[in-house]
Amino acid sequence: MTDSAPLTDSQTDQLVTALRTGQTVDDAATVLGLDLPAVWARARTDTRLTIALAGRDPEAADERARVARADYLRLLALGVAPTRAQLILGAGHPGSWRGDDPAFAQACDAVSAASAPFGYTGMTRLTTERVARFLQALSQPETTVLAAAAAVGVTQAAIYQRRSRDKEFATAMDEARAAQEANRV
């Protein structure tokens, strides 16, 4: 078996266009002079091509949500905790997706259970240094709690848990938010 040359971006774009117009992958690959093994190899890392190969339009608006859900499930499969997966994706949507879609919630639970032996078991502590960096980040204009927490490697949940049990920390957060407003002007 000979190795196929990798598909270029241009070839991939042409293939996606052909698939979007209803051509079969076999016909489109033949017309474009592409080897199917090269198509499969590119599909491993090219989300647009994968969606087109699935028979859907990668340019459709609803595909963005499908891709985000797939990325979330991929992170869970790699053993990343759900809250850490939210930080990595930079979005707070997975929690609402679970509530809105029972099938997605079941998929999340199944993937998490299957990857549990490989998951992260340690906990990132909210040390004095991290608290200082978090408060500094939070005081910057238009920085959310989620973004400030991600900047120091902790979850938003950890921040709010600390806030609820530590009055001094809650006050410091309020002061950082006030500084944020002052820095905005």
Side-chain angles (χ1 to χ4, degrees), residues 86-165:
Q86 276 185 280
L87 289 174
I88 292 168
L89 292 175
H93 301 299
S96 65
W97 294 337
R98 290 177 62 93
D100 296 342
D101 185 349
F104 181 70
Q106 287 179 328
C108 290
D109 293 341
V111 169
S112 291
S115 65
F118 313 106
Y120 177 75
T121 57
M123 180 182 271
T124 302
R125 300 280 178 204
L126 199 50
T127 62
T128 304
E129 295 82 17
R130 278 197 175 93
V131 167
R133 289 190 349 242
F134 166 77
L135 294 171
Q136 174 61 32
L138 188 61
S139 70
Q140 299 306 306
E142 299 185 31
T143 302
T144 64
V145 171
L146 177 64
V152 299
V154 298
T155 64
Q156 185 176 6
I159 295 296
Y160 284 116
Q161 288 169 3
R162 174 75 174 262
R163 180 181 173 87
S164 70
R165 71 174 187 273

Side-chain angles (χ1 to χ4, degrees), residues 6-146:
L7 267 60
T8 65
D9 291 344
S10 175
Q11 290 172 318
T12 303
D13 289 342
Q14 291 173 347
L15 179 58
V16 168
T17 299
L19 295 171
R20 287 179 68 205
T21 60
Q23 291 185 35
T24 67
V25 66
D26 292 342
D27 291 343
T30 299
V31 168
L32 295 170
L34 305 175
D35 292 327
L36 286 177
V39 171
W40 309 143
R42 179 69 180 234
R44 288 184 203 125
T45 59
D46 190 307
T47 304
R48 286 183 64 242
L49 176 58
T50 303
I51 292 168
L53 288 168
R56 297 187 316 273
D57 183 357
E59 306 304 325
D62 60 338
E63 289 302 327
R64 283 189 294 279
R66 187 185 319 270
V67 169
R69 289 177 187 220
D71 287 343
Y72 183 73
L73 289 171
R74 179 184 62 83
L75 291 170
L76 294 180
L78 293 171
V80 175
T83 53
R84 180 80 31 104
Q86 276 185 280
L87 289 174
I88 292 168
L89 292 175
H93 301 299
S96 65
W97 294 337
R98 290 177 62 93
D100 296 342
D101 185 349
F104 181 70
Q106 287 179 328
C108 290
D109 293 341
V111 169
S112 291
S115 65
F118 313 106
Y120 177 75
T121 57
M123 180 182 271
T124 302
R125 300 280 178 204
L126 199 50
T127 62
T128 304
E129 295 82 17
R130 278 197 175 93
V131 167
R133 289 190 349 242
F134 166 77
L135 294 171
Q136 174 61 32
L138 188 61
S139 70
Q140 299 306 306
E142 299 185 31
T143 302
T144 64
V145 171
L146 177 64

